[in-house]
Amino acid sequence: MRKEFQKNYKQGCFDPCQQTEGIQLRDIQVKEITEAVRDMCIQINHSLSQDMCRVFQKAVNEEKSELGKQVLSQLQENLEIAETDRIPICQDTGMAVIFAEVGQEVHLTGGSLEEAIHEGVRRGYQEGYLRKSVVKDPIYRENTKDNTPAVIHYSITDGDKVKITLAPKGFGSENMSKIFMLKPADGIEGVKKAILSAVEEAGPNACPPMVVGVGIGGTFEKCAIMAKQALTRPADQRSSIPYVKELEEEMLSKINQLGIGPGGLGGTTTAFAVNINTYPTHIAGLPVAVNICCHVNRHISRIL
Ligand code: SF4
């Protein structure tokens, strides 16, 4: 097999899509990814996903404070107007964060995947008349005028599909996010303290009710990415790991006792959900990242 491959390769007749070692690659044109990203940018800035609508409704039903109930109803009305009139839910249409899960049996054709994603964001924000919020350089701060580049996290998965998840992130809440490099001896109590202190400090600045994404374990950067990815899990879906599920429920209940409330005006709904992802870590550390998202927790996925 190897000799035949080398012979064909030298003759310039190697077909990357041919059956090699029993694996048939599936061709996907990158322009399909551009289209999908474009459409998702527009769609998710006009209407939230079903899970967010469900947690909103649950909060309206359960909120104890009259003012809190009123604020939640106004936020819900804002969602309905945005959807009906096809206008952005919030003026901050976010920086486009993308999780690209690429099946190892996929052969991408017609250009670069990275450029295809950026082009999708460019077209989505321009054609959807969404605010362009990205600056070229963090210090000189000249607007790129098309909301690119996106922040892209790649992973290689099994199979022959590409899954693209888009989460445009507003920076009112992004700015209130935190990372804690705890010691192993801090244990689960240290983790709880870290989550609560981040939310308490965020207060009204994170446009509550929030969804709180938490990453526990890994390394400095891994726990931050896990916290971001946790925000893309349905807000009403708990972790499949029993102790993590318990921690999510306990943290939500404690956060909602802080009294920050909808819009920061007091009440029993400071957060809709706490979503926690975990990963193995080093014997000497316990990293914890808390990525806070506002009530406009936009996330949408497409599988190609
Ligand atoms: S944090 Fe969220 S609700 Fe607040 S301005 Fe930004 S996108 Fe809008």
Side-chain angles (χ1 to χ4, degrees), residues 32 90 176 228 252 271 282 290:
E32 293 176 49
C90 183
M176 305 316 294
K228 176 74 73 205
L252 181 61
H282 191 278
V290 183

Side-chain angles (χ1 to χ4, degrees), residues 54-102:
R54 287 193 295 270
V55 293
F56 247 101
Q57 190 51 52
K58 186 167 181 282
V60 171
N61 297 340
E62 293 176 2
E63 172 59 53
K64 299 276 186 298
S65 131
E66 262 321 301
L67 184 55
K69 244 187 209 308
Q70 259 180 44
V71 174
L72 283 169
S73 302
Q74 283 169 359
L75 295 176
Q76 246 186 344
E77 195 187 338
N78 177 56
L79 287 181
E80 283 161 23
I81 294 170
E83 183 157 19
T84 314
D85 295 355
R86 309 308 291 158
I87 52 172
I89 302 161
C90 183
Q91 41 77 33
D92 181 356
T93 52
M95 184 164 194
V97 177
I98 303 262
F99 291 94
E101 297 166 59
V102 184

